[in-house]
Amino acid sequence: MNTQTILITGASSGIGKITAKYFAEHGWNVAATMRTPAKETELKQIPNIKLYQLDVTDEASIAKAIEDAIKDFGKIDVLINNAGYGAVGIFEKATKEQIQKQFDTNVFGVMNVTRQILPYFRAKKGGTIINVSSMGGRITFPLYSVYHATKWALEGWAESLQFEVRQFGVRIKNIEPGAIKTDFLGRSMDIFKKESLKDYDRYEEITTKNMDESYKSAPDGRVVAKTIFKAANDSSFKLRYPASPQSSMFLTLRKLLPLGVFNSIVGSVIEKGFKN
């Protein structure tokens, strides 16, 4: 049997770690990359998973991780661009540095890794690049303007890139989760703060509370891992894969409804309790 190999970024926690374990459970070789693999204890105990140091903002670490994974496993069949986080809050409170860091990881980081693996996929005449995007790459919610900007950029970039690489048998696939129970709301989130700016306080308090409520009934990351696995085994050139019932519902509504109507639905849920 020709065992398939994935390389996944951001595998130290959340969706990345769950996905690494899911693929390993299904017989794949997994090159699980992260910024500090020395801290990871669980994944290193799984026989068909190997850990590699990779920072998506560091070109040298990307090149070495790809080279070492190919040396260890003989090949890479699928790249999963998973590394990312959320920088959220009132836009006026965001610093230039926070905005830059969000784009450096969520957009430029994905581009960095993809650009380095494309020569390999071109040479082998095939490969699949899977990007963990978000339903927030095609719809929007309050407080997430910078995060949405990165995911909308990712969606547009991938939609264009697929034209260029299809001739080499390279498939581009975007996974679009909705709310998922991971550490996204905790360790992985950067909150914009500016104590001197009080004008948004009531709006921020109400919308944050309503957003947090929406996560209480959210599925865990395994639903995303299953969708990624489905995409990795899909030989078609399908681009987008909603990764939860919530995502499917919202994306369908956005497609069917005028923007004003759709936004009023979002507002009725996320802005509930706030009046201008």
Side-chain angles (χ1 to χ4, degrees):
M1 181 179 176
N2 184 19
T3 303
Q4 299 283 90
T5 300
I6 65 163
L7 185 147
I8 179 169
T9 66
S12 64
S13 64
I15 290 171
K17 188 170 188 175
I18 293 169
T19 300
K21 291 164 64 177
Y22 190 86
F23 273 79
E25 289 168 7
H26 287 77
W28 285 55
N29 291 325
V30 180
T33 77
M34 58 200 71
R35 286 179 294 181
T36 52
K39 294 181 179 180
E40 174 55 44
T41 57
E42 183 181 5
L43 293 181
K44 68 173 59 175
Q45 305 301 322
I46 302 174
N48 48 333
I49 296 181
K50 291 184 181 294
L51 307 186
Y52 302 87
Q53 195 279 326
L54 187 154
D55 182 336
V56 298
T57 66
D58 180 351
E59 298 271 357
S61 75
I62 297 168
K64 188 175 189 308
I66 291 173
E67 179 183 355
D68 289 350
I70 294 171
K71 187 183 301 180
D72 289 341
F73 292 117
K75 62 174 182 171
I76 296 172
D77 300 289
V78 178
L79 164 66
I80 302 176
N81 283 313
N82 167 74
Y85 73 100
V88 304
I90 297 298
F91 175 74
E92 195 176 339
K93 295 184 179 182
T95 66
K96 178 182 177 181
E97 291 75 21
Q98 286 175 308
I99 296 169
Q100 183 68 54
K101 184 180 177 183
Q102 178 77 135
F103 273 83
D104 283 344
T105 301
N106 288 13
V107 180
F108 304 134
V110 172
M111 291 180 176
N112 290 340
V113 181
T114 300
R115 191 171 59 250
Q116 293 222 35
I117 207 166
L118 277 175
Y120 172 74
F121 280 168
R122 275 195 296 106
K124 74 191 287 280
K125 299 297 183 185
T128 300
I129 297 169
I130 299 176
N131 306 306
V132 178
S133 180
S134 168
M135 69 176 183
R138 292 201 281 155
I139 62 177
T140 63
F141 299 96
L143 307 183
Y144 282 68
S145 62
V146 176
Y147 176 78
H148 282 306
T150 64
K151 294 302 184 180
W152 280 59
L154 181 62
E155 290 283 340
W157 167 76
E159 188 171 309
S160 177
L161 180 62
Q162 66 176 345
F163 289 105
E164 301 170 19
V165 300
R166 184 170 182 165
Q167 61 184 308
F168 307 112
V170 177
R171 295 168 175 80
I172 307 294
K173 299 177 181 290
N174 282 1
I175 309 301
E176 300 170 334
I180 300 294
K181 281 182 181 175
T182 66
D183 57 0
F184 183 80
L185 288 180
R187 184 186 64 82
S188 297
M189 187 169 279
D190 181 15
I191 307 294
F192 304 145
K193 295 180 180 178
K194 189 175 183 180
E195 295 301 325
S196 62
L197 179 55
K198 302 292 186 181
D199 291 355
Y200 295 98
D201 282 2
R202 184 167 170 273
Y203 182 83
E204 187 174 22
E205 179 184 355
I206 289 171
T207 53
T208 298
K209 180 182 176 182
N210 290 335
M211 287 294 294
D212 289 348
E213 283 293 321
S214 72
Y215 276 87
K216 290 183 178 179
S217 59
D220 64 26
R222 198 167 173 87
V223 70
V224 184
K226 290 179 179 179
T227 306
I228 295 172
F229 189 76
K230 176 183 176 182
N233 286 283
D234 186 350
S235 61
S236 77
F237 285 86
K238 178 180 177 180
L239 176 63
R240 293 186 168 99
Y241 297 76
S244 67
Q246 181 198 52
S247 175
S248 296
M249 179 189 71
F250 271 106
L251 290 172
T252 298
L253 288 174
R254 178 62 189 90
K255 183 186 297 184
L256 296 175
L257 299 175
L259 179 59
V261 175
F262 179 81
N263 282 348
S264 69
I265 294 173
V266 171
S268 70
V269 176
I270 307 303
E271 297 178 324
K272 183 180 179 181
F274 177 80
K275 292 183 179 180
N276 288 319

